[in-house]
Structures are given as C-alpha cells and as structure tokens.
Amino acid sequence: MGDNGAACGRLYTVRCIGGTNRMAKPCTQVSVVIVKIVEYCPSGCRGTINLSREGFVVIANPDQMF
C-alpha cells in the first residue's frame, strides 16, 4: 500500500474471486472477509495486501496460502 502508511488502521473488504493455480475450488463458501491494515509495505516491496493466516482461511483454502 502506498501513501507512506496512510492505509494503516483502515478496514478493507477482501474477496476471494479465484486462485492463481489450477485448484478446482480455491474459495470457501464465505468468500469475503473484512481486514484491518496494521502495517505497510515500504517502498520497493512487491506485496500489496498480505493476509494473516486467520483472515485467509475464512475466504480461501489454506493449501493455497504458500
């Protein structure tokens, strides 16, 4: 996230819309989770939003996490 950490503390709705590989059903039945940004990726970082395992397993199959 940009803006020098301006997103910290904000809530975002994250939706599972599909996987990056060929898993038949990567999303769970819930498929939406609300997350709070708690830190930001510094300049040059390749990430956008990295979910905690707890947040990820609400919306997606944990076998897809790593």
Short mmCIF file of all heavy atoms in Angstrom, two decimals:
data_model
loop_
_atom_site.label_atom_id
_atom_site.label_comp_id
_atom_site.label_asym_id
_atom_site.label_seq_id
_atom_site.Cartn_x
_atom_site.Cartn_y
_atom_site.Cartn_z
N MET A 1 0.85 -1.17 0.00
CA MET A 1 0.00 0.00 0.00
C MET A 1 0.90 1.24 0.00
O MET A 1 1.89 1.28 0.69
CB MET A 1 -0.89 0.02 1.23
CG MET A 1 -1.75 -1.20 1.41
SD MET A 1 -3.45 -0.75 1.54
CE MET A 1 -4.08 -1.48 0.08
N GLY A 2 0.54 2.21 -0.72
CA GLY A 2 1.33 3.42 -0.82
C GLY A 2 0.97 4.44 0.24
O GLY A 2 0.44 4.12 1.29
N ASP A 3 1.25 5.68 -0.03
CA ASP A 3 0.91 6.80 0.85
C ASP A 3 1.63 6.77 2.18
O ASP A 3 1.10 7.24 3.18
CB ASP A 3 -0.60 6.91 1.06
CG ASP A 3 -1.37 7.11 -0.23
OD1 ASP A 3 -0.81 7.70 -1.17
OD2 ASP A 3 -2.53 6.70 -0.29
N ASN A 4 2.80 6.18 2.24
CA ASN A 4 3.61 6.16 3.47
C ASN A 4 2.85 5.67 4.69
O ASN A 4 2.94 6.23 5.77
CB ASN A 4 4.19 7.54 3.73
CG ASN A 4 5.21 7.90 2.68
OD1 ASN A 4 6.02 7.07 2.28
ND2 ASN A 4 5.18 9.14 2.22
N GLY A 5 2.07 4.64 4.52
CA GLY A 5 1.35 4.04 5.64
C GLY A 5 0.01 4.66 5.94
O GLY A 5 -0.59 4.36 6.97
N ALA A 6 -0.51 5.51 5.04
CA ALA A 6 -1.80 6.16 5.28
C ALA A 6 -2.94 5.17 5.42
O ALA A 6 -3.96 5.47 6.03
CB ALA A 6 -2.10 7.16 4.16
N ALA A 7 -2.79 3.97 4.89
CA ALA A 7 -3.85 2.96 4.98
C ALA A 7 -3.90 2.28 6.35
O ALA A 7 -4.87 1.61 6.66
CB ALA A 7 -3.66 1.90 3.89
N CYS A 8 -2.86 2.46 7.16
CA CYS A 8 -2.84 1.80 8.47
C CYS A 8 -4.07 2.17 9.28
O CYS A 8 -4.43 3.33 9.39
CB CYS A 8 -1.57 2.17 9.24
SG CYS A 8 -0.10 1.39 8.58
N GLY A 9 -4.72 1.15 9.82
CA GLY A 9 -5.92 1.35 10.62
C GLY A 9 -7.21 1.29 9.81
O GLY A 9 -8.28 1.16 10.38
N ARG A 10 -7.13 1.39 8.50
CA ARG A 10 -8.33 1.32 7.67
C ARG A 10 -8.83 -0.12 7.54
O ARG A 10 -8.06 -1.06 7.64
CB ARG A 10 -8.04 1.85 6.27
CG ARG A 10 -7.79 3.33 6.22
CD ARG A 10 -7.59 3.77 4.79
NE ARG A 10 -7.18 5.16 4.75
CZ ARG A 10 -6.64 5.74 3.70
NH1 ARG A 10 -6.42 5.04 2.60
NH2 ARG A 10 -6.29 7.01 3.74
N LEU A 11 -10.12 -0.24 7.31
CA LEU A 11 -10.73 -1.55 7.08
C LEU A 11 -10.97 -1.72 5.59
O LEU A 11 -11.40 -0.79 4.91
CB LEU A 11 -12.06 -1.67 7.83
CG LEU A 11 -11.98 -1.55 9.35
CD1 LEU A 11 -13.37 -1.62 9.95
CD2 LEU A 11 -11.09 -2.62 9.94
N TYR A 12 -10.71 -2.92 5.09
CA TYR A 12 -10.94 -3.25 3.69
C TYR A 12 -11.70 -4.55 3.60
O TYR A 12 -11.50 -5.46 4.40
CB TYR A 12 -9.61 -3.42 2.94
CG TYR A 12 -8.91 -2.10 2.70
CD1 TYR A 12 -8.05 -1.57 3.65
CD2 TYR A 12 -9.09 -1.41 1.52
CE1 TYR A 12 -7.40 -0.37 3.44
CE2 TYR A 12 -8.45 -0.20 1.29
CZ TYR A 12 -7.60 0.31 2.25
OH TYR A 12 -6.97 1.50 2.03
N THR A 13 -12.57 -4.66 2.61
CA THR A 13 -13.25 -5.91 2.32
C THR A 13 -12.42 -6.64 1.28
O THR A 13 -12.11 -6.08 0.22
CB THR A 13 -14.67 -5.65 1.76
OG1 THR A 13 -15.41 -4.93 2.74
CG2 THR A 13 -15.37 -6.95 1.43
N VAL A 14 -12.03 -7.86 1.59
CA VAL A 14 -11.23 -8.67 0.69
C VAL A 14 -12.10 -9.85 0.25
O VAL A 14 -12.69 -10.53 1.07
CB VAL A 14 -9.94 -9.17 1.38
CG1 VAL A 14 -9.13 -10.05 0.43
CG2 VAL A 14 -9.11 -7.99 1.86
N ARG A 15 -12.14 -10.06 -1.04
CA ARG A 15 -13.00 -11.11 -1.61
C ARG A 15 -12.14 -12.13 -2.35
O ARG A 15 -11.21 -11.77 -3.06
CB ARG A 15 -13.97 -10.47 -2.59
CG ARG A 15 -14.93 -11.39 -3.26
CD ARG A 15 -15.87 -10.66 -4.22
NE ARG A 15 -16.48 -9.50 -3.62
CZ ARG A 15 -17.61 -9.50 -2.91
NH1 ARG A 15 -18.25 -10.63 -2.73
NH2 ARG A 15 -18.09 -8.39 -2.40
N CYS A 16 -12.47 -13.39 -2.18
CA CYS A 16 -11.82 -14.45 -2.94
C CYS A 16 -12.59 -14.60 -4.26
O CYS A 16 -13.78 -14.86 -4.27
CB CYS A 16 -11.86 -15.77 -2.17
SG CYS A 16 -11.06 -17.13 -3.06
N ILE A 17 -11.89 -14.39 -5.38
CA ILE A 17 -12.54 -14.50 -6.69
C ILE A 17 -11.96 -15.63 -7.52
O ILE A 17 -12.43 -15.90 -8.61
CB ILE A 17 -12.46 -13.18 -7.47
CG1 ILE A 17 -11.01 -12.75 -7.66
CG2 ILE A 17 -13.25 -12.10 -6.76
CD1 ILE A 17 -10.83 -11.57 -8.59
N GLY A 18 -10.93 -16.27 -7.02
CA GLY A 18 -10.33 -17.39 -7.73
C GLY A 18 -8.89 -17.58 -7.32
O GLY A 18 -8.32 -16.74 -6.63
N GLY A 19 -8.31 -18.67 -7.76
CA GLY A 19 -6.94 -18.98 -7.40
C GLY A 19 -5.96 -18.59 -8.49
O GLY A 19 -6.34 -18.22 -9.59
N THR A 20 -4.70 -18.68 -8.14
CA THR A 20 -3.65 -18.39 -9.11
C THR A 20 -3.10 -19.66 -9.73
O THR A 20 -2.21 -19.61 -10.55
CB THR A 20 -2.49 -17.62 -8.45
OG1 THR A 20 -1.97 -18.39 -7.37
CG2 THR A 20 -2.95 -16.26 -7.96
N ASN A 21 -3.64 -20.78 -9.31
CA ASN A 21 -3.23 -22.06 -9.90
C ASN A 21 -4.47 -22.82 -10.35
O ASN A 21 -5.53 -22.25 -10.47
CB ASN A 21 -2.37 -22.86 -8.93
CG ASN A 21 -3.08 -23.14 -7.63
OD1 ASN A 21 -4.30 -23.20 -7.59
ND2 ASN A 21 -2.35 -23.31 -6.56
N ARG A 22 -4.37 -24.09 -10.53
CA ARG A 22 -5.48 -24.86 -11.10
C ARG A 22 -6.32 -25.60 -10.07
O ARG A 22 -6.98 -26.57 -10.40
CB ARG A 22 -4.94 -25.83 -12.13
CG ARG A 22 -4.32 -25.08 -13.26
CD ARG A 22 -3.87 -25.99 -14.34
NE ARG A 22 -3.29 -25.15 -15.38
CZ ARG A 22 -2.55 -25.57 -16.34
NH1 ARG A 22 -2.27 -26.84 -16.45
NH2 ARG A 22 -2.07 -24.74 -17.24
N MET A 23 -6.31 -25.15 -8.83
CA MET A 23 -7.13 -25.80 -7.82
C MET A 23 -8.61 -25.59 -8.18
O MET A 23 -9.02 -24.47 -8.51
CB MET A 23 -6.83 -25.22 -6.45
CG MET A 23 -7.63 -25.88 -5.36
SD MET A 23 -7.08 -25.34 -3.76
CE MET A 23 -7.59 -26.72 -2.79
N ALA A 24 -9.39 -26.64 -8.10
CA ALA A 24 -10.79 -26.58 -8.54
C ALA A 24 -11.63 -25.57 -7.77
O ALA A 24 -12.41 -24.83 -8.36
CB ALA A 24 -11.42 -27.96 -8.45
N LYS A 25 -11.49 -25.53 -6.45
CA LYS A 25 -12.31 -24.63 -5.64
C LYS A 25 -11.44 -23.92 -4.61
O LYS A 25 -11.42 -24.31 -3.44
CB LYS A 25 -13.44 -25.39 -4.96
CG LYS A 25 -14.45 -25.95 -5.94
CD LYS A 25 -15.61 -26.58 -5.21
CE LYS A 25 -16.62 -27.07 -6.22
NZ LYS A 25 -17.82 -27.56 -5.59
N PRO A 26 -10.72 -22.86 -4.99
CA PRO A 26 -9.83 -22.19 -4.04
C PRO A 26 -10.57 -21.37 -2.98
O PRO A 26 -10.05 -21.16 -1.90
CB PRO A 26 -8.98 -21.29 -4.92
CG PRO A 26 -9.85 -21.00 -6.10
CD PRO A 26 -10.64 -22.27 -6.31
N CYS A 27 -11.78 -20.90 -3.29
CA CYS A 27 -12.52 -20.05 -2.35
C CYS A 27 -13.44 -20.88 -1.46
O CYS A 27 -13.94 -21.92 -1.87
CB CYS A 27 -13.37 -19.04 -3.12
SG CYS A 27 -12.41 -17.98 -4.23
N THR A 28 -13.66 -20.39 -0.24
CA THR A 28 -14.61 -21.04 0.66
C THR A 28 -16.01 -20.54 0.35
O THR A 28 -16.19 -19.66 -0.49
CB THR A 28 -14.28 -20.74 2.14
OG1 THR A 28 -14.49 -19.34 2.36
CG2 THR A 28 -12.87 -21.14 2.50
N GLN A 29 -17.00 -21.05 1.05
CA GLN A 29 -18.39 -20.61 0.87
C GLN A 29 -18.56 -19.16 1.33
O GLN A 29 -19.43 -18.46 0.85
CB GLN A 29 -19.32 -21.52 1.65
CG GLN A 29 -19.24 -22.96 1.21
CD GLN A 29 -20.46 -23.39 0.44
OE1 GLN A 29 -21.51 -22.79 0.55
NE2 GLN A 29 -20.31 -24.43 -0.34
N VAL A 30 -17.73 -18.70 2.27
CA VAL A 30 -17.85 -17.34 2.78
C VAL A 30 -17.35 -16.34 1.74
O VAL A 30 -18.05 -15.40 1.39
CB VAL A 30 -17.08 -17.17 4.11
CG1 VAL A 30 -17.14 -15.74 4.60
CG2 VAL A 30 -17.62 -18.12 5.16
N SER A 31 -16.18 -16.51 1.24
CA SER A 31 -15.50 -15.76 0.19
C SER A 31 -15.33 -14.25 0.40
O SER A 31 -14.85 -13.56 -0.49
CB SER A 31 -16.12 -16.05 -1.18
OG SER A 31 -17.34 -15.40 -1.37
N VAL A 32 -15.70 -13.71 1.56
CA VAL A 32 -15.46 -12.29 1.87
C VAL A 32 -15.01 -12.17 3.32
O VAL A 32 -15.57 -12.80 4.21
CB VAL A 32 -16.73 -11.43 1.66
CG1 VAL A 32 -16.52 -10.01 2.13
CG2 VAL A 32 -17.16 -11.43 0.22
N VAL A 33 -13.99 -11.34 3.56
CA VAL A 33 -13.52 -11.08 4.92
C VAL A 33 -13.18 -9.59 5.02
O VAL A 33 -12.75 -8.97 4.04
CB VAL A 33 -12.31 -11.97 5.29
CG1 VAL A 33 -11.08 -11.62 4.49
CG2 VAL A 33 -11.99 -11.88 6.78
N ILE A 34 -13.44 -9.01 6.16
CA ILE A 34 -13.06 -7.61 6.40
C ILE A 34 -11.77 -7.62 7.20
O ILE A 34 -11.68 -8.29 8.23
CB ILE A 34 -14.16 -6.84 7.15
CG1 ILE A 34 -15.41 -6.79 6.27
CG2 ILE A 34 -13.69 -5.43 7.51
CD1 ILE A 34 -16.63 -6.18 6.93
N VAL A 35 -10.77 -6.91 6.70
CA VAL A 35 -9.46 -6.88 7.34
C VAL A 35 -9.08 -5.46 7.72
O VAL A 35 -9.54 -4.51 7.13
CB VAL A 35 -8.36 -7.49 6.41
CG1 VAL A 35 -8.66 -8.93 6.10
CG2 VAL A 35 -8.21 -6.69 5.14
N LYS A 36 -8.23 -5.37 8.73
CA LYS A 36 -7.70 -4.07 9.17
C LYS A 36 -6.23 -4.03 8.82
O LYS A 36 -5.48 -4.97 9.13
CB LYS A 36 -7.89 -3.91 10.68
CG LYS A 36 -7.41 -2.58 11.21
CD LYS A 36 -7.68 -2.49 12.71
CE LYS A 36 -7.28 -1.14 13.24
NZ LYS A 36 -7.59 -1.02 14.66
N ILE A 37 -5.80 -2.96 8.18
CA ILE A 37 -4.39 -2.80 7.81
C ILE A 37 -3.63 -2.42 9.08
O ILE A 37 -3.98 -1.46 9.77
CB ILE A 37 -4.22 -1.70 6.74
CG1 ILE A 37 -5.07 -2.01 5.50
CG2 ILE A 37 -2.74 -1.52 6.39
CD1 ILE A 37 -4.74 -3.31 4.81
N VAL A 38 -2.58 -3.20 9.38
CA VAL A 38 -1.83 -2.96 10.61
C VAL A 38 -0.40 -2.52 10.37
O VAL A 38 0.28 -2.08 11.29
CB VAL A 38 -1.85 -4.18 11.55
CG1 VAL A 38 -3.28 -4.46 12.01
CG2 VAL A 38 -1.24 -5.40 10.89
N GLU A 39 0.08 -2.66 9.14
CA GLU A 39 1.40 -2.15 8.78
C GLU A 39 1.45 -2.00 7.27
O GLU A 39 0.58 -2.48 6.56
CB GLU A 39 2.51 -3.07 9.27
CG GLU A 39 2.45 -4.48 8.72
CD GLU A 39 3.52 -5.36 9.34
OE1 GLU A 39 4.65 -4.89 9.52
OE2 GLU A 39 3.21 -6.52 9.63
N TYR A 40 2.45 -1.32 6.77
CA TYR A 40 2.51 -1.12 5.33
C TYR A 40 3.82 -1.64 4.76
O TYR A 40 4.80 -1.83 5.46
CB TYR A 40 2.31 0.35 4.97
CG TYR A 40 3.47 1.25 5.28
CD1 TYR A 40 4.35 1.64 4.27
CD2 TYR A 40 3.70 1.74 6.56
CE1 TYR A 40 5.43 2.46 4.54
CE2 TYR A 40 4.77 2.56 6.84
CZ TYR A 40 5.63 2.93 5.82
OH TYR A 40 6.69 3.74 6.09
N CYS A 41 3.77 -1.86 3.47
CA CYS A 41 4.93 -2.37 2.75
C CYS A 41 5.78 -1.18 2.32
O CYS A 41 5.30 -0.30 1.64
CB CYS A 41 4.42 -3.14 1.53
SG CYS A 41 5.67 -4.12 0.73
N PRO A 42 7.04 -1.13 2.72
CA PRO A 42 7.89 0.01 2.36
C PRO A 42 8.17 0.08 0.87
O PRO A 42 7.95 -0.87 0.14
CB PRO A 42 9.17 -0.23 3.15
CG PRO A 42 9.18 -1.69 3.43
CD PRO A 42 7.74 -2.12 3.50
N SER A 43 8.67 1.20 0.41
CA SER A 43 9.00 1.42 -0.99
C SER A 43 9.86 0.28 -1.53
O SER A 43 10.79 -0.16 -0.87
CB SER A 43 9.74 2.75 -1.13
OG SER A 43 10.10 2.95 -2.47
N GLY A 44 9.52 -0.21 -2.70
CA GLY A 44 10.27 -1.30 -3.30
C GLY A 44 9.74 -2.68 -2.96
O GLY A 44 10.15 -3.68 -3.53
N CYS A 45 8.81 -2.76 -2.05
CA CYS A 45 8.21 -4.04 -1.65
C CYS A 45 7.33 -4.57 -2.78
O CYS A 45 6.68 -3.80 -3.47
CB CYS A 45 7.38 -3.84 -0.38
SG CYS A 45 6.52 -5.30 0.19
N ARG A 46 7.28 -5.87 -2.94
CA ARG A 46 6.50 -6.47 -4.02
C ARG A 46 5.07 -6.81 -3.61
O ARG A 46 4.28 -7.24 -4.42
CB ARG A 46 7.19 -7.72 -4.52
CG ARG A 46 8.50 -7.43 -5.18
CD ARG A 46 9.24 -8.64 -5.65
NE ARG A 46 8.40 -9.82 -5.80
CZ ARG A 46 8.85 -11.02 -6.05
NH1 ARG A 46 10.13 -11.23 -6.17
NH2 ARG A 46 8.03 -12.04 -6.17
N GLY A 47 4.70 -6.65 -2.36
CA GLY A 47 3.37 -7.03 -1.90
C GLY A 47 2.35 -5.93 -2.03
O GLY A 47 2.67 -4.78 -2.24
N THR A 48 1.10 -6.29 -1.92
CA THR A 48 0.02 -5.31 -1.84
C THR A 48 -0.66 -5.49 -0.49
O THR A 48 -0.41 -4.73 0.40
CB THR A 48 -0.97 -5.46 -3.02
OG1 THR A 48 -1.38 -6.81 -3.13
CG2 THR A 48 -0.35 -5.01 -4.33
N ILE A 49 -1.46 -6.53 -0.34
CA ILE A 49 -2.04 -6.86 0.96
C ILE A 49 -1.70 -8.32 1.24
O ILE A 49 -2.01 -9.20 0.45
CB ILE A 49 -3.57 -6.68 0.99
CG1 ILE A 49 -3.92 -5.20 0.84
CG2 ILE A 49 -4.15 -7.24 2.28
CD1 ILE A 49 -5.41 -4.94 0.80
N ASN A 50 -1.05 -8.58 2.34
CA ASN A 50 -0.77 -9.93 2.79
C ASN A 50 -1.67 -10.23 3.97
O ASN A 50 -1.57 -9.58 5.00
CB ASN A 50 0.70 -10.08 3.21
CG ASN A 50 1.64 -9.98 2.04
OD1 ASN A 50 1.34 -10.46 0.96
ND2 ASN A 50 2.77 -9.35 2.24
N LEU A 51 -2.56 -11.18 3.80
CA LEU A 51 -3.49 -11.54 4.87
C LEU A 51 -2.82 -12.43 5.90
O LEU A 51 -1.95 -13.24 5.57
CB LEU A 51 -4.69 -12.29 4.29
CG LEU A 51 -5.58 -11.54 3.32
CD1 LEU A 51 -6.67 -12.47 2.82
CD2 LEU A 51 -6.18 -10.33 3.97
N SER A 52 -3.27 -12.29 7.14
CA SER A 52 -2.85 -13.25 8.16
C SER A 52 -3.47 -14.59 7.80
O SER A 52 -4.43 -14.68 7.03
CB SER A 52 -3.36 -12.80 9.53
OG SER A 52 -4.78 -12.87 9.56
N ARG A 53 -2.92 -15.64 8.37
CA ARG A 53 -3.50 -16.98 8.11
C ARG A 53 -4.96 -17.00 8.56
O ARG A 53 -5.81 -17.56 7.89
CB ARG A 53 -2.69 -18.05 8.85
CG ARG A 53 -3.24 -19.44 8.61
CD ARG A 53 -2.31 -20.54 9.15
NE ARG A 53 -2.84 -21.84 8.91
CZ ARG A 53 -2.80 -22.49 7.76
NH1 ARG A 53 -2.23 -21.92 6.72
NH2 ARG A 53 -3.31 -23.69 7.62
N GLU A 54 -5.26 -16.38 9.70
CA GLU A 54 -6.63 -16.35 10.22
C GLU A 54 -7.59 -15.69 9.23
O GLU A 54 -8.72 -16.13 9.06
CB GLU A 54 -6.68 -15.63 11.57
CG GLU A 54 -5.95 -16.33 12.69
CD GLU A 54 -4.44 -16.08 12.70
OE1 GLU A 54 -3.94 -15.25 11.91
OE2 GLU A 54 -3.75 -16.72 13.50
N GLY A 55 -7.17 -14.61 8.61
CA GLY A 55 -8.01 -13.94 7.62
C GLY A 55 -8.14 -14.73 6.33
O GLY A 55 -9.21 -14.82 5.74
N PHE A 56 -7.04 -15.32 5.90
CA PHE A 56 -7.02 -16.07 4.66
C PHE A 56 -7.95 -17.28 4.69
O PHE A 56 -8.71 -17.51 3.76
CB PHE A 56 -5.59 -16.51 4.33
CG PHE A 56 -5.44 -17.14 2.98
CD1 PHE A 56 -5.19 -16.36 1.87
CD2 PHE A 56 -5.54 -18.51 2.82
CE1 PHE A 56 -5.05 -16.93 0.61
CE2 PHE A 56 -5.40 -19.10 1.58
CZ PHE A 56 -5.15 -18.30 0.47
N VAL A 57 -7.90 -18.06 5.78
CA VAL A 57 -8.68 -19.30 5.83
C VAL A 57 -10.19 -19.05 5.89
O VAL A 57 -10.97 -19.95 5.63
CB VAL A 57 -8.24 -20.24 6.99
CG1 VAL A 57 -6.80 -20.65 6.82
CG2 VAL A 57 -8.49 -19.63 8.34
N VAL A 58 -10.62 -17.83 6.20
CA VAL A 58 -12.05 -17.51 6.15
C VAL A 58 -12.54 -17.54 4.70
O VAL A 58 -13.62 -18.03 4.42
CB VAL A 58 -12.32 -16.12 6.77
CG1 VAL A 58 -13.76 -15.68 6.52
CG2 VAL A 58 -12.01 -16.11 8.24
N ILE A 59 -11.72 -17.05 3.77
CA ILE A 59 -12.17 -16.92 2.39
C ILE A 59 -11.58 -17.90 1.40
O ILE A 59 -12.07 -18.03 0.28
CB ILE A 59 -11.91 -15.48 1.86
CG1 ILE A 59 -10.42 -15.14 1.88
CG2 ILE A 59 -12.75 -14.48 2.62
CD1 ILE A 59 -10.06 -13.84 1.18
N ALA A 60 -10.48 -18.58 1.77
CA ALA A 60 -9.81 -19.45 0.80
C ALA A 60 -9.23 -20.69 1.45
O ALA A 60 -8.99 -20.75 2.64
CB ALA A 60 -8.71 -18.68 0.09
N ASN A 61 -8.98 -21.68 0.63
CA ASN A 61 -8.38 -22.93 1.05
C ASN A 61 -6.96 -22.67 1.54
O ASN A 61 -6.15 -22.15 0.79
CB ASN A 61 -8.39 -23.90 -0.13
CG ASN A 61 -7.82 -25.25 0.21
OD1 ASN A 61 -6.96 -25.40 1.07
ND2 ASN A 61 -8.31 -26.25 -0.49
N PRO A 62 -6.62 -23.01 2.78
CA PRO A 62 -5.28 -22.73 3.30
C PRO A 62 -4.16 -23.44 2.55
O PRO A 62 -3.02 -23.00 2.59
CB PRO A 62 -5.33 -23.20 4.76
CG PRO A 62 -6.52 -24.09 4.85
CD PRO A 62 -7.47 -23.66 3.77
N ASP A 63 -4.47 -24.48 1.78
CA ASP A 63 -3.46 -25.13 0.97
C ASP A 63 -2.96 -24.21 -0.14
O ASP A 63 -1.93 -24.47 -0.76
CB ASP A 63 -3.98 -26.42 0.36
CG ASP A 63 -4.27 -27.48 1.41
OD1 ASP A 63 -3.67 -27.42 2.51
OD2 ASP A 63 -5.11 -28.37 1.14
N GLN A 64 -3.68 -23.13 -0.41
CA GLN A 64 -3.30 -22.17 -1.45
C GLN A 64 -2.44 -21.03 -0.90
O GLN A 64 -1.98 -20.19 -1.64
CB GLN A 64 -4.55 -21.54 -2.05
CG GLN A 64 -5.45 -22.53 -2.71
CD GLN A 64 -4.80 -23.12 -3.94
OE1 GLN A 64 -4.52 -22.41 -4.89
NE2 GLN A 64 -4.54 -24.40 -3.92
N MET A 65 -2.22 -21.01 0.42
CA MET A 65 -1.54 -19.89 1.04
C MET A 65 -0.09 -19.76 0.63
O MET A 65 0.40 -18.67 0.39
CB MET A 65 -1.66 -19.99 2.56
CG MET A 65 -1.21 -18.75 3.28
SD MET A 65 -1.70 -18.87 5.00
CE MET A 65 -1.28 -17.25 5.55
N PHE A 66 0.64 -20.84 0.56
CA PHE A 66 2.06 -20.76 0.24
C PHE A 66 2.42 -21.71 -0.87
O PHE A 66 1.83 -22.64 -1.16
CB PHE A 66 2.93 -21.06 1.47
CG PHE A 66 2.71 -20.08 2.56
CD1 PHE A 66 2.00 -20.41 3.69
CD2 PHE A 66 3.24 -18.80 2.45
CE1 PHE A 66 1.81 -19.51 4.71
CE2 PHE A 66 3.04 -17.88 3.46
CZ PHE A 66 2.33 -18.24 4.60
#
